[in-house]
Amino acid sequence: TCSLLRSPKGFPKLKNDTFLRAARGEETEHTPVWCMRQAGRYLPEFRETRASQDFFATCRSPKLCCELTLQPLRRFPLDAAIIFSDILVVPQALGMEVVMVPGKGPTFTEPLKEVEDLMKLRQKVDVTAELGYVFQAITLTRHSLEGKVPLIGFSGAPWTLMSYMIEGGGSTTMAKAKSWLYRHPEASHRLLRLLADVIIDYLVGQVAAGAQALQLFESHAGHLGPELFQDFALPYIRDIAQAVKSKLKEEALPLVPMIIFAKDAHYALRDLAHAGYEVIGLDWTIPPQEARAQIGKDVTLQGNLDPCALYAPKEKIGELVKKMLESFGTQRYIANLGHGLYPDMNPEHVGAFVEAVHAHSRHINKH
């Protein structure tokens, strides 16, 4: 249960550190597994908990975030929990209003249209004041997990957040946001820098609150080509890893493994391999062997089963998992999907995926 009566520190001892060992490149008995969007609408209990609440009100309730984070772990033997939150809490911290519109998704009431609109954003953000509710949710959840598995914190990456702030929501082309990169490169860098600075403090704050690993989501990397990625995404991705690590050292906080997930950015895997992250998350569009060849042996890989594979019959899911494990190898590897779970997925098929990873990886390791 998620009761608020615990001391902020003195966390329970971690019982299953398989995920952290794999992230650091240490040997594991089985391949660890978790799923992006594992706390989500595919679970009836999630829909029930969320039913009466506005989405962002849920994000601001540490108790509800804790409950939603724990739900998938009551059902499946996952090797990690990821805090229930949203990447758009960062634009909110900058003073932008975001509402969740049913059937449409997150919507900014006043997206950035002109360069002058940057002046409306908070230029200095006190993350504890603006995002303290996420830190509280992390501390509460870390206690409530009782050391069962590690807790992952996360943030959106600067380009992905910038694209939402300009588009005002989802987009198939990102034409408005990309037009800024071509028309207003300096203003774009100003915005990306502002976002990066907030993200750095936000991620460090998550570790201080109890997060044991961090994932940076560059979900919209696929809308950039190699050149735009080099100019407007990669420098900030690199900088975030470096700055977070040096601040963690300064503040005598644990140096937690960091994961970069740049969706559809297979053109940038070699660069990402040297960006300062322990783990690279992969979407389902790249063959495992090719990813390993580009990234090398010193970085752990995470991914990359096509989420739609979970619509297959359970036996077929087992076969696909076995093939994936044989391709990646069972070590320096964290099994996951190549993107998040979809709302209409059958929880039993998610269970079949998790169990297949454990069973097949143990079998491969023995033989």
Side-chain angles (χ1 to χ4, degrees), residues 52-346:
S52 58
Q53 281 276 2
D54 163 71
F55 178 81
F56 285 107
T58 305
C59 290
R60 286 189 288 273
S61 161
K63 260 183 140 158
L64 286 176
C65 289
C66 174
E67 167 58 25
L68 294 170
T69 303
L70 295 181
Q71 283 175 352
L73 295 160
R74 295 187 191 123
R75 277 188 187 248
F76 316 117
L78 294 152
D79 293 289
I82 183 164
I83 194 67
F84 176 80
S85 186
D86 194 87
I87 63 172
L88 298 182
V89 299
V90 170
Q92 287 176 334
L94 287 165
M96 293 188 83
E97 192 187 4
V98 193
V99 291
M100 196 55 83
V101 178
K104 189 182 167 208
T107 306
F108 285 73
T109 48
E110 290 181 45
L112 304 173
K113 289 196 172 74
E114 305 303 329
V115 171
E116 297 74 59
D117 294 342
L118 293 181
M119 296 318 295
K120 296 179 190 167
L121 300 174
R122 280 193 190 102
Q123 302 304 307
K124 271 272 173 269
V125 175
D126 174 346
V127 291
T128 309
E130 300 301 330
L131 295 164
Y133 60 87
V134 179
F135 302 155
Q136 286 172 354
I138 287 172
T139 302
L140 179 59
T141 307
R142 174 85 187 266
H143 281 296
S144 305
L145 275 166
E146 295 173 334
K148 197 172 172 178
V149 294
L151 179 61
I152 304 168
F154 70 90
S155 173
W159 154 249
T160 294
L161 296 179
M162 170 183 172
S163 64
Y164 271 115
M165 290 159 76
I166 294 170
E167 295 290 341
S171 157
T172 50
T173 60
M174 297 293 157
K176 289 179 192 159
K178 283 177 74 177
S179 83
W180 272 55
L181 304 181
Y182 285 109
R183 287 166 46 226
H184 313 301
E186 281 158 24
S188 295
H189 280 299
R190 264 206 331 270
L191 175 54
L192 292 162
R193 181 72 262 164
L194 177 62
L195 283 162
D197 290 342
V198 176
I199 291 162
I200 289 160
D201 289 345
Y202 180 43
L203 291 174
V204 171
Q206 290 186 48
V207 176
Q212 290 152 292
L214 298 169
Q215 178 155 314
L216 190 67
F217 283 87
E218 189 70 281
S219 313
H220 296 169
H223 292 279
L224 303 175
E227 284 183 12
L228 288 179
F229 188 85
Q230 279 285 343
D231 287 349
F232 295 102
L234 187 64
Y236 299 99
I237 289 171
R238 275 197 192 118
D239 189 47
I240 287 166
Q242 212 181 337
V244 166
K245 285 173 180 182
S246 70
K247 286 199 174 198
L248 291 175
K249 273 191 190 132
E250 267 167 45
E251 296 180 28
L253 288 165
L255 277 179
V256 303
M258 293 179 73
I259 308 163
I260 175 68
F261 176 62
K263 189 173 178 293
D264 298 323
H266 13 90
Y267 56 79
L269 288 179
R270 284 178 201 279
D271 287 323
L272 290 169
H274 302 290
Y277 292 78
E278 284 70 27
V279 184
I280 294 181
L282 301 166
D283 61 69
W284 69 92
T285 62
I286 181 143
Q289 294 93 331
E290 199 176 304
R292 186 63 86 186
Q294 288 195 45
I295 289 164
K297 293 188 168 65
D298 301 332
V299 180
T300 295
L301 300 183
Q302 174 177 283
N304 73 339
L305 191 71
D306 180 354
C308 291
L310 298 190
Y311 294 122
K314 288 186 195 169
E315 318 64 82
K316 178 72 177 159
I317 294 171
E319 287 164 31
L320 292 166
V321 165
K322 181 170 182 275
K323 195 174 149 209
M324 181 169 83
L325 285 161
E326 287 165 353
S327 303
F328 277 109
T330 58
Q331 301 297 323
R332 260 215 180 273
Y333 174 54
I334 297 160
N336 204 318
L337 303 173
H339 199 228
L341 288 160
Y342 301 148
D344 64 347
M345 286 180 163
N346 180 342

